[in-house]
Amino acid sequence: MEEPPQNGEPAGRPPEIGRLHVLTDFHLQQQRPHAELARLAIRGGADSIQFRQKHGGIQNILIEARKVAQVCRDASIPLVVDDRVDVMQAVGAAGVHLGQQDFPVDEARSLLGPDAIIGATATKTHQVVEAYEKGADYIGFGPVFPTTSKRNPKSVKGPEGVREASEAVPIPIIAIGGITHDRVRPALEAGAHGVAVLSAVCTAKNPERATARFRAAIDGARTESS
């Protein structure tokens, strides 16, 4: 595997990447705003929050993102903004998460500098390697398990896909897609650094309790493997 270019991840960083990433959302549910979801998830044990707002005007997005940023600052938990480098910069978030069709990872690294957290979405191992070489700090890899957001079952990677991705690069692999409490252990045993969850927390009747179950699953798996 090639070494990343000089404009990629600088040696000697890297930033601390959480193991339990909770994505906030106001599309799948409209009962709780982003900031409340972030607060409850953090209380439940989330160590990384990702602000995810796919729709709406930029002014409203900024208002909501600033509220989440304040919640995260108060709790000393990193906030990553999905897709939007401009929103990440405007609200002072710790980083940005970029999909395959979003702002290029290497250009984001050049723009944001060495201290920003940059995550990248990948569904194939070669995309994992490319994102690493362009300067990503972690990879959101999936869908690992069947998920209602993916219609094509052939796209499901399974634990074997996680293992292949984690062996391809030295940066953390975050398993995403169909993650439930009982699927945490298989993902971690396959080499994932952590998991990312959306609907399992955001649409739960008690998001804090749902997050706490994921936290317990992660900590339990780590304890048994040590």
Side-chain angles (χ1 to χ4, degrees), residues 3-206:
E3 290 297 320
Q6 292 302 310
N7 64 344
E9 178 181 312
R13 233 166 16 100
E16 186 69 25
I17 304 300
R19 291 182 176 269
L20 178 51
H21 298 227
V22 172
L23 284 65
T24 67
D25 173 83
F26 200 67
H27 175 68
L28 296 177
Q29 60 82 43
Q30 289 80 45
Q31 294 183 338
R32 295 181 176 89
H34 288 275
E36 182 181 353
L37 285 171
R39 186 177 297 108
L40 292 171
I42 291 170
R43 282 168 52 180
D47 51 16
S48 185
I49 297 294
Q50 185 178 144
F51 174 83
R52 183 179 186 270
Q53 181 69 40
K54 297 289 189 180
H55 308 288
I58 185 60
Q59 292 187 8
N60 180 66
I61 290 175
L62 284 171
I63 289 172
E64 297 303 315
R66 286 193 176 102
K67 293 177 181 178
V68 177
Q70 187 60 57
V71 169
C72 291
R73 277 193 293 271
D74 290 344
S76 298
I77 295 294
L79 170 64
V80 172
V81 174
D82 187 52
D83 296 349
R84 302 291 297 265
V85 174
D86 55 344
V87 174
M88 173 248 168
Q89 291 179 301
V91 305
V96 64
H97 186 94
L98 301 170
Q100 288 293 312
Q101 303 302 318
D102 295 331
F103 201 84
V105 170
D106 52 353
E107 294 189 27
R109 177 60 70 201
S110 295
L111 178 66
L112 299 174
D115 296 328
I117 295 173
I118 297 180
T121 295
T123 62
K124 301 176 181 178
T125 302
H126 77 85
Q127 294 173 341
V128 171
V129 175
E130 288 173 1
Y132 163 67
E133 292 177 344
K134 290 182 178 180
D137 295 303
Y138 74 89
I139 307 294
F141 182 79
V144 178
F145 300 103
T147 170
T148 55
S149 66
K150 298 292 182 181
R151 297 180 180 178
N152 184 2
K154 293 182 180 180
S155 67
V156 174
K157 309 306 174 185
E160 62 275 12
V162 173
R163 183 171 291 106
E164 183 177 321
S166 65
E167 291 175 351
V169 293
I171 59 176
I173 298 296
I174 304 298
I176 189 168
I179 303 296
T180 58
H181 305 104
D182 58 346
R183 289 170 172 170
V184 169
R185 184 182 298 275
L188 297 185
E189 288 178 346
H193 172 78
V195 299
V197 292
L198 174 57
S199 60
V201 168
C202 289
T203 64
K205 291 183 178 180
N206 189 325

